[in-house]
Amino acid sequence: MNKHFPRGLSNDSLLAYKRLDEDPDFFLRELWLAIGSMNEDGTGKAPLSDIEYDLFRRICEPDTTISVILGTRGLGKTYLLTAGAARSLFRDPERKIVFVCKSSQAADRTSQLLRGWFETVPFLRHLAPRRGQRDNVKSFDVGPASATRQPSVSAIGIGGTLENNRAHSVFPDDVETIQNTLTFDARERLFHQCQEFTQWLFPSIPYEKGGSRDPNQVTFFLTPKHDESIAAKLEK
């Protein structure tokens, strides 16, 4: 049983939290219901499709440390990545997550999307930052986390300062733009920036010895903007 679950849960609630912890599909469904994107009958503003469930499982249970997921515009990639981060922190509040977005403004929106869920989604409220913890637009801690140098969640733009970050999960979200893929030199610079993400990962230590509960990961979500997309290089 997850030691970070809120205290005083009823037996029914405890069973629900246990299923949220273990079942990615159930977690995503319950999150979509809680944020008002789907109704119980599967209809609503943005009902989940089989493709989105499959993508979410790939975020939560990657086959390799580095993985690349390609998606068309309008697929809701940012929401799915943010949901993956929420589930990782639900399972292990000591985990450190860094979002790398196409711009500083996009990074702020992603950070605040996740921060907002910790206030409004009932089964995530225990993860909201507590008094004295970091809590700003670009980074914040989750409630049960120990005090460390690295925030629980950070979000930065690909054009910003990429040094001095550490993480168990790095989520580059649509980091290819028309501007940073316009020339050969720009594409090479972007690729070398993306190669740095694996250097941010903490050492892989078994959970029983104080490591993170889930494996380290660098999971890219991309909508290629150029024939020479970094996706092809990352695949090699």
Side-chain angles (χ1 to χ4, degrees), residues 17 27 31 86 90 117-119 121-128:
Y17 271 68
F27 184 95
L31 176 61
F90 181 87
W117 287 351
F118 291 164
E119 295 290 344
V121 176
F123 59 84
L124 297 178
R125 283 180 182 151
H126 66 290
L127 297 175

Side-chain angles (χ1 to χ4, degrees), residues 67-234:
S67 57
V68 182
I69 300 172
L70 303 182
T72 60
R73 290 179 61 85
L75 188 60
K77 299 186 298 297
T78 297
Y79 268 69
L80 290 173
L81 273 180
T82 307
R87 183 173 181 269
S88 291
L89 292 167
F90 181 87
R91 285 171 52 81
D92 181 5
E94 299 294 346
R95 197 170 180 86
K96 308 302 179 186
I97 293 172
V98 177
F99 292 98
V100 185
C101 305
K102 60 185 176 183
S103 67
S104 177
Q105 293 79 10
D108 292 349
R109 290 193 295 270
T110 298
S111 172
Q112 291 309 291
L113 175 64
L114 181 57
R115 177 67 180 84
W117 287 351
F118 291 164
E119 295 290 344
T120 60
V121 176
F123 59 84
L124 297 178
R125 283 180 182 151
H126 66 290
L127 297 175
R130 298 171 184 169
R131 182 174 296 179
Q133 290 182 308
R134 285 165 289 209
D135 187 11
N136 60 68
V137 71
K138 294 188 183 299
S139 64
F140 59 88
D141 292 317
V142 297
S146 304
T148 59
R149 180 179 177 183
Q150 181 73 25
S152 299
V153 177
S154 303
I156 55 179
I158 188 67
T161 303
L162 300 182
E163 294 84 7
N164 301 319
N165 285 290
R166 300 302 304 276
H168 301 100
S169 292
V170 182
F171 291 139
D173 180 19
D174 257 351
V175 292
E176 281 190 321
T177 67
I178 294 175
Q179 288 74 26
N180 66 19
T181 58
L182 195 59
T183 66
F184 174 81
D185 287 345
R187 294 191 293 274
E188 284 296 299
R189 189 181 308 114
L190 175 63
F191 178 61
H192 287 303
Q193 285 178 312
C194 291
Q195 286 182 307
E196 294 180 16
F197 298 155
T198 54
Q199 306 304 313
W200 298 358
L201 298 177
F202 288 106
S204 295
I205 301 172
Y207 183 57
E208 304 77 35
K209 296 183 179 181
S212 185
R213 186 174 172 193
D214 295 316
N216 289 344
Q217 67 183 125
V218 179
T219 301
F220 289 81
F221 245 142
L222 295 172
T223 301
K225 298 292 193 303
H226 196 279
D227 289 342
E228 296 179 10
S229 169
I230 60 170
K233 292 185 176 181
L234 290 168

Side-chain angles (χ1 to χ4, degrees), residues 14-33:
L14 198 58
L15 289 173
Y17 271 68
K18 187 172 185 294
R19 188 176 175 190
L20 288 164
D21 184 269
E22 297 174 352
D23 185 344
D25 286 6
F26 183 69
F27 184 95
L28 186 61
R29 176 183 178 276
E30 292 302 302
L31 176 61
W32 248 235
L33 291 172

